[in-house]
């Protein structure tokens, strides 16, 4: 059996993972079938490695993963970081001051670099439940004391889309801003995206964009869809991603990845 793509790139939250953070047996079987047919599977997530590693271990996943919005290429089998790009903290601070000058004070959190990088949370930031405890800091200076992959921002009044738009307009070409999920707006190094990380990982595997099918659900997946040959949005995806997808499948709760992969396998 042949499979039409050499690489299957899947986002994690809202895409590969169901809402209870598990991967269904059907989706696991579909991914196993495409890898048996010769394709590679790469997880491409906004989560940094420390927040991704337990999911990969549970899946028995030992290949490459792109984490931290493309900042980190991680070898899951060897528990080793292959690449890691950090945020220029001086530029990030300047960008944040520009945003706050336009829309008022922000609540901040920050993701430290490294295999065990902590998420530091400043006053007023609303923390989502996760596999690793956040570290609360009262002195904002603590947040900037060590290398960071990204900074998270929240606003008391603006919703995610409005905050991302306002921040993007204010920062100019200092940094990039993405909306990565509910309550998750991020400041990233300029030019960094899931596409940059995925292209690095694909090069290591000897695979090209033309050989890639990608699955996602949020605006931070738009660059990945632009890079890949075929982009598939989940039924639960943000409208901005659906607008650029070549195909829309079932939701993450309804095995949307498996639906597409099974069909491609039947046709191959």
């Amino acid at each position: 059996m042949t499979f039409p793509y050499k690489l299957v790139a899947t986002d994690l939250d809202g895409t590969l993972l169901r809402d209870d953070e598990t991967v269904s047996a059907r989706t696991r079987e579909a991914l196993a079938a495409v890898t048996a047919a010769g394709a590679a599977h790469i997880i491409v997530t906004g989560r940094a490695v420390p927040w991704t590693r337990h999911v990969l271990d549970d899946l028995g996943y030992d290949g490459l993963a792109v984490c931290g919005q493309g900042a980190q290429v991680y070898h899951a089998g060897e528990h080793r970081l292959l690449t890691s790009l950090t945020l220029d903290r001086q530029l990030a601070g300047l960008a944040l001051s520009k945003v706050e000058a336009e829309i008022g004070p922000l609540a901040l959190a920050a993701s430290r670099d490294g295999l065990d990088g902590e998420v530091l949370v400043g006053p007023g930031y609303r923390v989502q439940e996760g596999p690793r405890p956040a570290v609360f800091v009262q002195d904002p200076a603590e947040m900037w004391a060590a290398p960071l992959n990204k900074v998270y921002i929240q606003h008391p009044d603006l919703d995610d889309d409005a905050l991302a738009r306002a921040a993007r307009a204010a920062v100019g070409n200092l940094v990039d801003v993405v909306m990565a999920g509910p309550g998750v707006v991020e400041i990233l190094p300029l030019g960094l995206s899931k596409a940059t990380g995925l292209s690095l990982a694909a090069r290591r595997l000897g695979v090209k964009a033309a050989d890639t099918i990608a699955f996602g659900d949020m605006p931070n997946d738009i660059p990945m869809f632009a890079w890949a040959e075929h982009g598939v949005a989940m039924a639960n995806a943000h409208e901005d991603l659906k607008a650029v997808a070549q195909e829309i499948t079932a939701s993450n709760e309804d095995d949307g990845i498996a639906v597409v992969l099974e069909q491609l396998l039947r046709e191959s």
Side-chain angles (χ1 to χ4, degrees), residues 35-117:
T35 54
H41 171 220
I42 288 186
I43 288 172
V44 186
T45 178
R47 298 187 190 202
V49 167
W51 291 74
T52 310
R53 194 165 46 202
H54 70 288
V55 177
L56 304 180
D57 290 346
D58 178 60
L59 282 171
Y61 183 98
D62 58 8
L64 301 182
V66 177
C67 301
Q69 277 339 337
Q72 300 169 315
V73 177
Y74 172 65
H75 194 303
E78 298 175 2
H79 293 98
R80 186 165 62 94
L81 266 176
L82 303 180
T83 66
S84 191
L85 179 68
T86 56
L87 179 65
D88 184 312
R89 285 167 279 168
Q90 189 172 355
L91 279 182
L94 178 58
L96 289 169
S97 67
K98 287 178 173 289
V99 177
E100 291 190 322
E102 294 294 328
I103 62 174
L106 299 167
L108 305 178
S111 176
R112 280 197 170 160
D113 187 40
L115 284 175
D116 299 304

Side-chain angles (χ1 to χ4, degrees), residues 168-252:
R168 208 171 284 125
V171 300
N173 60 356
L174 293 172
V175 294
D176 277 344
V177 180
V178 298
M179 202 277 266
V184 184
V185 178
E186 301 176 355
I187 301 287
L188 301 172
L190 189 66
L192 177 70
S193 73
K194 287 187 173 186
T196 54
L198 179 56
S199 66
L200 282 175
R203 196 175 307 148
R204 285 177 175 267
L205 297 175
V207 178
K208 297 181 170 58
D211 303 320
T212 304
I213 182 171
F215 295 83
D217 74 312
M218 280 291 161
N220 61 325
D221 294 315
I222 291 173
M224 180 167 71
F225 278 25
W227 182 84
E229 177 69 19
H230 193 74
V232 183
M234 314 305 285
N236 49 289
H238 191 285
E239 291 304 318
D240 288 358
L241 187 68
K242 287 181 176 178
V244 300
Q246 277 87 26
E247 183 178 352
I248 297 172
T249 185
S251 73
N252 62 319

Side-chain angles (χ1 to χ4, degrees), residues 96-141:
L96 289 169
S97 67
K98 287 178 173 289
V99 177
E100 291 190 322
E102 294 294 328
I103 62 174
L106 299 167
L108 305 178
S111 176
R112 280 197 170 160
D113 187 40
L115 284 175
D116 299 304
E118 301 163 318
V119 173
L120 306 181
V121 177
Y125 191 91
R126 301 178 303 280
V127 179
Q128 299 185 16
E129 289 298 313
R132 288 170 56 84
V135 178
F136 291 88
V137 296
Q138 288 304 315
D139 180 0

